[in-house]
């Protein structure tokens, strides 16, 4: 097991820049998740670590070794592909043992390792089957098993769960995490599903358009998103964002949004009065308030999920989502009043999108 | 070094094709500009004389005209049969597998063999076509099918159609089987009748395949020697000669290499035009389907 | 009556004239090949005959040197197929897996060669083979057949290779395989079906070729089957039709059987191969 260090990595396809200088330190035994919208360059970065894409500039180090020019086969990494990439003409056993056979390891040793991995993954009774005869979840496990037998320095995952149905995805998510806690192999995991990222990661790397937006633990990203992009990307449903202007008068500080509505913010922001800002509040942090003190909103849509109620409402020309765990009988057209606790408020500069 | 790997992989095939297909073209260009002795020896530069001779030759113009007729009728006839056949073979019915095998059968037999068998079947005295037609009472005297140029040419065109059907049907079937089923289902839901489905869905979607089948057939038929060569050798009295048979006679019977080379080049020019047409058709179809996951070398 | 049954009857009715015309020459072939010699030129012509004369085949075999021509055809077709495949596999792999300068150019060059028919080039080829002393040498047919079949073979293989996911090879590299190892142990085994089909079609094309064989092989020991059978018919005062037909039966039927078994691959492969 070892660390992975990425220094100033760039990637060009022809004249098109796909990655614009990525710096990232992945510690030994860490589980890092790369997340971002489609096309932002996650797979490209992962494949560069794997040695499947050439490096346009910058350095990639696995442990102490710069691997830019080391071919994939000598990097001592294992990878699980989105479509599993199981060898269709080999049995499960042969798939899992392929890498060991290439390394000319002893037969008994290979057998022991394959059976060990198979028992961890509940594949023991499928070893003689061909990949065609397996379900999606089983194939996924075989792909994992192929990585597992290797004792590789680093595990790489490229959206390994995206071809599974929702239920199975949750199960496998937990299994992969449990596996990591047991093996402690340094892992880089690509997904565009932020819930997967939040639940699995030691640290999350949020990427957008070939750049890193923020690196941090799941809670850091949730509590203090560095900018509007991260704020919007992490959390589901997304954070409500309301553009407005910061005002201060006689000790009171507020953001004035369309229709002249005033949203109170912490007094610390008084110095920025007059600045164009974006006010952010997560749906789960909104509170119901009295008609006197709260901000008035008109209910548009009510969606009960069982566990909670999601309410979509109109506020000063914008729309806002609020989540309540208590049961309320709201109907479209109702007027409700909300309060936004100061500690949960996020403020961003409207021009740069950066957190204030 | 990395960059040269794909080049190294294509070079052997490239060299092979260059040598066997590229070089003869240059040689033909050279030969067509040479004066040729009666014994097939090149004796000196002749400029455009060979071409002038070709263009002044009534047999050339007759052959060219007949090539046009031959190509047109075989291609159109083939398409007229193949399109309904392909549509039937694409539908589900009892014995479809057998029907496909039978329709494709002529493809596996060399044109030479087919032509030899037909030459015998059309024999004016004992041919079994005459036997069949007499048995069912269509004729009461054996007919000398290949003895007059006009009937012989018609018969050759019909045989030409017969042997072109499998290839054409295959291309059309490929197109039909690639057609999205849900489009039909949507059309049925929209209340389209069978004819409307054909007219407004099948035909437009099939158009690229039909175009390609036409162009490829034009090229193949234009170039096809064995049927006419084996059945009549362009005779009687040059009455069924098309360009390829005329060219072959000039080159290997009469030793008029310069003239033959000139005709070859003219045909090459015509083919080039068809090929460019084909390339245009294919690349237009490919624009949507280009695989973008190609990696760098 | 179920709808499918009605439809089937209707379709067969529609196809029946074509089916008859297609099967007719096969009938002619068989019926002539097995009838006694003196019943060939009966008047009026008739399908009927008095007995099955199987000895026609053995007689024909000896008299027309069928065995020699058969060996020539096998030699030429097998070698041409092997060479075409050997050259086409790397080219198709490169076309399917790499992006490189000149790829589009090469694609169009292949298209051109696919369009070029032997007949247009036959004079140039004859002079080439003459200059190289290869006239009357079966190897001249081997190389020309290989060359003329390259383009189609490359198309067909390339379109199949495109359908083999690239990440299988990448997975093998990550598993520790070199490019060569992944090619041999992962890629090629998966490509076998396409290679078999491509091989069989090159084989059939070579087996059936006429113009070049007629031109480049001048002496009767070097004739391939189509030329051999043509030679029994062309420019003869008296044609032994029962022998000719026996020859066509033997030359045609095995190929037709293999072909029938393969034609469903053809519909799939051709549609991709020829059209793309
Ligand atoms: N071989 C290539 N040639 C040119 N551009 C490419 C190539 N591969 C990827 N790209 C481009 O690079 C960008 C990043 O692609 P990448 O596959 O890394 O995205 P991703 O973040 O993994 O997206 P997804 O979530 O959809 O998998 C995309 O805009 C893509 O179009
Ligand atoms: Mg990706």
């Amino acid at each position: 097991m070892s660390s992975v260090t990425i220094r100033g990595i760039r990637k060009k396809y022809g004249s098109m820049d796909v990655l614009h200088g990525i710096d990232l330190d992945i510690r030994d035994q860490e589980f890092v998740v790369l997340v971002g919208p489609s096309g932002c360059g996650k797979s490209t970065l992962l494949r560069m670590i794997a040695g499947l894409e050439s490096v346009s500039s910058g350095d990639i180090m696995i442990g102490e070794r710069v691997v830019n020019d080391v071919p994939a086969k000598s990097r001592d990494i294992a990878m699980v592909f989105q479509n599993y990439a199981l060898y269709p003409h080999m049995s499960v056993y042969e798939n899992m043992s392929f890498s060991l056979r290439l390394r000319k390891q002893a037969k008994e040793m290979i057998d022991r390792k394959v059976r060990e991995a198979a028992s961890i993954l509940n594949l023991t009774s499928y070893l003689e089957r061909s990949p065609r005869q397996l379900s999606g979840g089983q194939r996924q496990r075989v792909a994992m098993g192929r990585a597992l037998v290797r004792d590789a320095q680093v595990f790489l995952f490229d959206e390994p769960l995206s071809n599974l149905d929702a239920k199975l995805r949750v199960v496998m998510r937990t299994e992969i995490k449990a596996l990591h806690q047991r093996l402690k192999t340094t892992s880089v995991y690509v997904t565009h599903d932020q819930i997967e990222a939040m639940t699995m990661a030691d640290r999350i790397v949020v990427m957008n358009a070939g750049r890193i937006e923020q690196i941090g633990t799941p809670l850091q990203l949730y509590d203090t998103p560095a900018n509007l992009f991260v704020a919007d990307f992490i959390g589901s449903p997304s954070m409500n964002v309301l553009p407005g202007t910061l005002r201060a008068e006689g000790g009171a500080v507020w953001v004035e949004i369309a229709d002249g509505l005033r949203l109170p913010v912490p007094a610390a922001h008084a110095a920025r009065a007059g600045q164009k800002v974006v006010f952010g509040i997560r749906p789960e942090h909104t509170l119901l308030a009295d008609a006197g003190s709260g901000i008035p909103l008109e209910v548009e849509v009510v969606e009960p999920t069982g566990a909670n109620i999601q309410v979509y409402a109109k506020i000063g020309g914008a729309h806002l989502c609020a989540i309540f765990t208590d049961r309320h009988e709201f109907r479209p057209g109702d007027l409700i009043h909300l309060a936004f606790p100061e500690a949960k408020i996020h403020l961003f500069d409207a021009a740069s999108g950066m957190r204030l | 070094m990395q960059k040269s790997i794909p080049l190294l992989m294509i070079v052997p095939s490239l060299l092979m094709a260059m040598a066997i297909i590229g070089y003869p073209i240059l040689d033909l260009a050279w030969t067509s500009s040479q004066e040729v002795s009666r014994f097939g020896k090149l004796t000196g530069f002749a400029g455009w004389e060979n071409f002038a001779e070709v263009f002044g030759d009534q047999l050339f113009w007759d052959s060219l005209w007949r090539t046009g007729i031959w190509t047109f009728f075989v291609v159109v006839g083939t398409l007229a049969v193949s399109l309904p056949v392909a549509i039937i073979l694409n539908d589900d019915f009892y014995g479809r597998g057998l029907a496909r095998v039978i329709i494709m059968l002529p493809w596996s037999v060399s044109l030479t063999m087919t032509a030899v068998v037909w030459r015998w079947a059309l024999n004016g005295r004992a041919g079994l076509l005459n036997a069949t037609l007499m048995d069912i009472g269509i004729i009461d005297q054996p007919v000398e099918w290949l003895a007059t140029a006009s009937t012989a040419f018609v018969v050759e065109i019909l045989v030409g159609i017969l042997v072109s059907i499998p290839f054409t049907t295959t291309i059309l079937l490929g197109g039909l089987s690639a057609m999205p089923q849900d489009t039909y289902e949507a059309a049925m839901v929209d209340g389209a009748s069978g004819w409307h489905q054909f007219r407004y869905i099948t035909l437009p979607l099939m158009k690229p395949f039909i175009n390609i089948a036409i162009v490829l057939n034009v090229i193949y038929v234009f170039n096809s020697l064995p049927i006419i060569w084996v059945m009549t050798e362009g005779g009687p009295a040059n009455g069924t000669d098309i360009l390829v048979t005329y060219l072959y006679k000039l080159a290997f019977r009469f030793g008029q290499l310069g003239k033959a080379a000139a005709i070859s080049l003219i045909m090459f020019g015509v083919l080039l035009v068809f090929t460019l047409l084909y390339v245009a058709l294919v690349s237009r179809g490919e624009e949507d389907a280009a695989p973008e996951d190609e990696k760098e070398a | 009556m179920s709808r499918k049954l009605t439809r089937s009857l209707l379709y067969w009715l529609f196809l029946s004239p074509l089916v008859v015309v297609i099967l007719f020459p096969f009938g002619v072939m068989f019926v002539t090949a097995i009838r006694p010699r003196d019943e060939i030129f009966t008047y009026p012509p008739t399908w009927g005959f008095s007995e099955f004369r199987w000895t026609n085949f053995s007689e024909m075999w000896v008299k027309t040197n069928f065995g020699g021509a058969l060996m020539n055809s096998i030699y030429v077709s097998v070698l041409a197929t092997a060479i075409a495949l050997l050259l086409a596999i790397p080219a198709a792999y490169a076309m399917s897996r790499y992006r490189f300068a000149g790829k589009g150019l090469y694609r169009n060059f292949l298209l051109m060669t696919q369009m070029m028919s032997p007949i247009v080039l036959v004079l140039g080829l004859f002079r080439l083979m003459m200059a190289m002393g290869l006239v009357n040498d079966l190897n001249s047919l081997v190389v020309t057949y290989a060359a003329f079949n390259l383009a189609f073979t490359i198309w067909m293989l390339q379109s199949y290779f495109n359908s083999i996911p690239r990440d299988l090879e990448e997975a093998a590299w990550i598993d520790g395989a070199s490019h060569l190892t992944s090619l041999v142990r992962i890629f090629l085994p998966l490509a076998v079906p396409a290679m078999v089909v491509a091989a069989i079609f090159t084989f059939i094309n070579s087996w059936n070729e006429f113009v070049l064989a007629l031109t480049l092989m001048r002496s009767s020991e070097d004739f391939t089957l189509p030329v051999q059978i043509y030679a029994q018919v062309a420019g003869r005062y008296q044609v032994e039709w029962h022998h000719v037909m026996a020859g066509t039966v033997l030359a045609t039927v095995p190929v037709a059987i293999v072909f029938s078994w393969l034609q469903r691959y053809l519909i799939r492969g051709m549609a991709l191969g020829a059209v793309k």
Side-chain angles (χ1 to χ4, degrees):
Chain A
M1 268 149 279
S2 55
S3 62
V4 176
T5 313
I6 290 166
R7 289 269 167 273
I9 281 293
R10 289 170 184 280
K11 178 69 185 176
K12 284 182 198 292
Y13 285 115
S15 59
M16 193 176 72
D17 278 350
V18 175
L19 294 177
H20 313 269
I22 301 277
D23 289 289
L24 180 59
D25 285 300
I26 297 166
R27 291 187 279 272
D28 190 15
Q29 307 199 350
E30 196 173 25
F31 196 106
V32 167
V33 174
L34 303 180
V35 43
S38 189
C40 69
K42 311 176 294 284
S43 296
T44 305
L45 181 58
L46 193 77
R47 291 166 55 84
M48 286 165 88
I49 299 174
L52 297 174
E53 299 281 352
S54 61
V55 174
S56 300
S57 71
D59 282 324
I60 296 178
M61 292 157 67
I62 296 178
E64 300 300 305
R65 182 167 72 137
V66 175
V67 294
N68 288 18
D69 297 318
V70 178
K73 70 173 185 127
S74 318
R75 289 195 183 188
D76 200 10
I77 37 141
M79 180 158 167
V80 177
F81 290 76
Q82 179 168 1
N83 297 311
Y84 318 139
L86 301 182
Y87 310 126
H89 57 307
M90 295 184 189
S91 69
V92 169
Y93 187 96
E94 289 167 331
N95 261 284
M96 287 171 60
S97 61
F98 185 64
S99 60
L100 302 177
R101 283 184 285 140
L102 284 175
R103 287 184 175 69
K104 305 236 182 310
Q105 302 213 352
K107 269 224 163 55
E108 310 78 60
M109 167 95 145
I110 293 177
D111 196 60
R112 210 194 65 233
K113 283 191 170 170
V114 171
R115 289 191 188 283
E116 201 176 285
S119 83
I120 293 175
L121 294 163
N122 281 327
L123 283 171
T124 308
S125 49
Y126 303 109
L127 283 175
E128 295 316 317
R129 290 217 195 158
S130 86
R132 237 191 322 277
Q133 301 165 310
L134 299 178
S135 73
Q138 290 162 342
R139 285 180 205 182
Q140 213 286 326
R141 269 192 266 260
V142 177
M144 298 276 303
R146 211 163 57 178
L148 227 62
V149 296
R150 290 270 310 276
D151 301 325
Q153 297 292 317
V154 183
F155 280 171
L156 304 176
F157 301 83
D158 192 355
E159 309 200 24
L161 304 183
S162 61
N163 286 344
L164 302 180
D165 67 56
K167 270 241 167 67
L168 200 54
R169 203 145 55 202
V170 175
V171 173
M172 288 308 297
R173 192 164 90 193
T174 321
E175 278 189 28
I176 293 177
K177 186 157 186 189
L179 212 58
H180 177 255
Q181 274 158 8
R182 176 167 160 179
L183 300 172
K184 303 253 184 328
T185 309
T186 314
S187 301
V188 186
Y189 186 107
V190 165
T191 176
H192 59 252
D193 177 349
Q194 58 93 20
I195 298 190
E196 234 168 80
M198 294 296 279
T199 49
M200 299 176 80
D202 292 330
R203 279 193 306 155
I204 296 177
V205 178
V206 182
M207 291 179 63
N208 182 29
R211 291 198 171 75
I212 292 182
E213 297 282 350
Q214 189 174 6
I215 304 176
T217 64
L219 291 184
Q220 278 167 354
L221 297 192
Y222 182 82
D223 293 339
T224 52
N227 53 42
L228 271 172
F229 180 83
V230 178
D232 181 63
F233 199 82
I234 300 291
S236 168
S238 297
M239 183 186 285
N240 297 300
V241 288
L242 305 164
T245 311
L246 206 56
R247 304 257 182 241
E249 204 176 288
V253 186
W254 70 92
V255 173
E256 192 163 314
I257 63 172
D259 290 358
L261 282 176
R262 296 180 169 194
L263 312 177
V265 298
H269 293 297
R272 296 200 172 89
Q275 191 173 348
K276 296 257 181 252
V277 295
V278 175
F279 177 96
I281 181 81
R282 294 197 181 275
E284 55 272 33
H285 294 153
T286 56
L287 298 175
L288 271 182
D290 302 334
S293 62
I295 317 281
L297 295 96
E298 186 191 327
V299 174
E300 292 178 312
V301 178
V302 182
E303 291 178 351
T305 65
N308 56 39
I309 306 174
Q310 301 188 4
V311 178
Y312 294 87
K314 245 204 317 240
I315 176 170
H319 301 269
L320 180 141
C321 172
I323 294 183
F324 306 108
T325 40
D326 305 333
R327 302 212 163 165
H328 297 282
E329 291 284 330
F330 296 127
R331 254 180 300 277
D334 285 358
L335 202 66
I336 56 171
H337 292 83
L338 293 181
F340 308 130
E342 283 200 350
K344 304 290 189 187
I345 287 170
H346 307 265
L347 269 191
F348 303 93
D349 178 39
S352 66
M354 298 310 285
R355 181 181 193 83
L356 296 176
Chain B
M1 159 65 205
Q2 273 281 302
K3 277 218 177 0
S4 60
I5 287 179
L7 292 177
L8 285 179
M9 295 174 104
I10 64 166
V11 157
S13 56
L14 184 66
L15 287 182
M16 178 82 158
M18 289 281 217
I20 302 295
I21 295 168
Y23 173 81
I25 297 175
L26 298 181
D27 184 81
L28 283 171
W30 162 251
T31 311
S32 73
S33 73
Q34 294 291 302
E35 211 164 322
V36 186
S37 79
R38 278 216 269 151
F39 308 103
K41 284 260 176 308
L42 308 187
T43 54
F45 186 68
W48 295 103
E49 220 164 87
N50 284 314
F51 285 91
E53 213 174 305
V54 167
F55 290 131
D57 179 355
Q58 188 54 39
L59 283 178
F60 168 76
W61 292 109
D62 290 347
S63 307
L64 183 64
W65 169 242
R66 242 175 264 115
T67 306
I69 300 205
W70 158 256
T71 309
F72 177 82
F73 281 103
V74 173
V75 171
V76 170
T78 304
L79 196 66
V81 179
S82 300
L83 193 58
V85 167
I87 288 171
I88 288 180
L89 291 186
N90 192 49
D91 207 350
D92 181 33
F93 65 99
Y94 294 114
R96 176 171 78 161
L98 180 66
R100 281 194 180 192
V101 167
I102 294 176
I103 306 272
M104 296 299 152
L105 214 48
W107 200 350
S108 65
V109 183
S110 80
L111 293 183
T112 322
M113 308 276 184
T114 309
V116 165
V117 175
W118 277 104
R119 177 166 165 171
W120 166 236
L122 293 164
N123 187 290
R125 248 176 65 212
L128 288 170
L129 181 67
N130 282 332
T132 313
L133 295 180
M134 282 162 77
D135 281 352
I136 53 181
I138 292 181
I139 54 175
D140 42 30
Q141 283 289 316
V143 178
E144 288 277 359
W145 299 100
L146 299 177
T148 51
S150 50
T151 34
F153 199 51
V154 171
V155 168
E156 283 163 349
I157 287 177
L158 292 177
V159 174
I161 292 175
L162 189 66
V163 297
S164 309
I165 289 173
F167 169 76
T168 314
T169 307
T170 301
I171 289 204
L172 298 180
L173 260 181
L176 284 169
S177 59
M179 214 157 281
Q181 193 56 43
D182 49 5
T183 313
Y184 284 98
E185 283 160 7
M188 261 188 276
V189 172
D190 288 344
S193 68
W195 164 250
H196 280 125
Q197 281 179 34
F198 176 75
R199 174 70 189 74
Y200 296 108
I201 298 174
T202 312
L203 215 51
L205 286 174
M206 285 297 287
K207 219 171 138 203
F209 292 89
I210 294 176
N211 284 340
I212 283 165
I214 290 178
V215 177
L216 285 178
N217 266 332
V218 165
I219 291 168
Y220 293 154
V221 175
F222 181 77
N223 279 315
S224 178
L225 176 90
I227 292 173
I228 295 186
W229 190 255
V230 171
M231 286 172 72
T232 57
E233 289 194 9
N238 295 83
T240 58
D241 258 331
I242 58 171
L243 280 181
V244 284
T245 57
Y246 186 50
L247 154 72
Y248 199 83
K249 282 184 198 167
L250 282 179
F252 298 104
R253 287 253 168 99
F254 310 137
Q256 301 196 25
L257 300 193
K259 226 170 131 184
I263 295 183
S264 298
L265 278 187
I266 294 169
M267 292 188 61
F268 176 74
V270 176
L271 275 180
L272 210 57
V273 172
F274 288 137
T275 309
L276 292 179
L277 196 66
Y278 177 79
V279 171
L281 283 178
V282 170
S283 48
R284 202 170 58 191
E286 225 170 44
E287 262 158 36
D288 334 301
E292 47 172 324
D293 56 344
E294 297 167 292
K295 88 179 161 207
E296 287 179 305
Chain C
M1 220 164 30
S2 79
R3 281 193 52 191
K4 187 172 171 185
L5 193 59
T6 330
R7 191 171 54 198
S8 306
L9 289 176
L10 213 67
Y11 283 174
W12 275 107
L13 198 68
F14 183 89
L15 292 176
S16 56
L18 186 59
V19 169
V20 168
V21 177
I22 287 171
L23 294 181
F24 174 77
F26 288 92
V28 170
M29 236 154 72
F30 282 109
V31 164
T32 311
I34 53 171
R35 67 171 61 188
R37 180 170 192 271
D38 45 359
E39 288 178 32
I40 286 176
F41 281 99
T42 47
Y43 188 89
T46 164
W47 281 87
F49 53 95
S50 60
E51 58 164 323
F52 288 91
R53 190 63 67 77
W54 295 107
T55 49
N56 282 351
F57 285 90
S58 47
E59 246 175 68
M60 177 280 298
W61 188 284
V62 177
K63 279 214 176 136
T64 63
N65 184 28
F66 189 88
L70 182 69
M71 288 318 292
N72 290 341
S73 272
I74 291 177
Y75 174 86
V76 168
S77 308
V78 167
L79 277 187
T81 304
I83 292 178
L85 266 192
L86 220 60
L87 299 184
I89 289 172
Y93 185 83
M95 296 290 280
S96 151
R97 290 298 196 255
Y98 295 99
R99 193 185 267 266
F100 54 90
K103 182 170 171 176
L105 220 59
Y106 186 66
R107 198 197 302 262
N108 287 343
F109 171 76
L110 283 180
L111 259 171
M112 302 276 235
T113 69
Q114 195 181 14
M115 296 305 131
M116 281 309 119
S117 86
I119 180 71
V120 173
L121 303 183
V122 67
L123 178 56
L125 273 170
F126 181 72
R127 285 169 45 79
L128 172 67
M129 294 305 168
M130 197 72 154
M132 293 178 23
L134 284 176
V135 171
N136 275 338
D137 184 334
L138 288 170
N139 292 320
S140 65
L141 293 184
V142 170
V143 288
T144 38
Y145 291 175
F148 275 104
N149 280 293
L150 264 181
F152 177 73
T153 313
I154 293 176
W155 291 142
M156 187 138 173
L157 290 180
Q158 188 203 335
S159 66
Y160 190 86
F161 289 179
N162 282 344
S163 73
I164 299 177
R166 177 168 304 148
D167 55 11
L168 292 181
E169 285 163 273
E170 293 179 344
W173 299 338
I174 285 177
D175 271 347
S178 66
H179 281 241
L180 188 66
T181 313
S182 77
L183 209 61
V184 172
R185 299 199 36 192
I186 305 295
F187 186 81
L188 288 182
L190 294 174
V192 163
M195 295 190 304
V196 170
V197 174
I200 288 178
F201 287 109
T202 304
F203 185 92
I204 290 179
N205 280 342
S206 309
W207 187 263
N208 288 342
E209 204 282 337
F210 176 64
V211 177
L212 292 171
L214 179 68
T215 312
L216 296 176
M217 299 299 113
R218 301 257 128 188
S219 85
S220 63
E221 310 102 70
D222 296 324
F223 283 172
T224 55
L225 282 174
V227 181
Q228 175 75 7
I229 283 171
Y230 169 72
Q232 307 297 313
V233 175
R236 296 219 170 188
Y237 179 67
Q238 194 176 25
V239 179
E240 302 287 343
W241 283 110
H242 59 306
H243 286 168
V244 174
M245 291 299 124
T248 54
V249 169
L250 288 191
T252 304
V253 169
V255 182
I257 289 172
V258 174
F259 185 90
S260 306
W261 168 59
L262 274 175
Q263 50 85 28
R264 62 207 160 94
Y265 296 102
L266 189 69
I267 293 174
R268 242 178 286 147
M270 255 321 254
L272 294 168
V275 175
K276 282 220 175 135

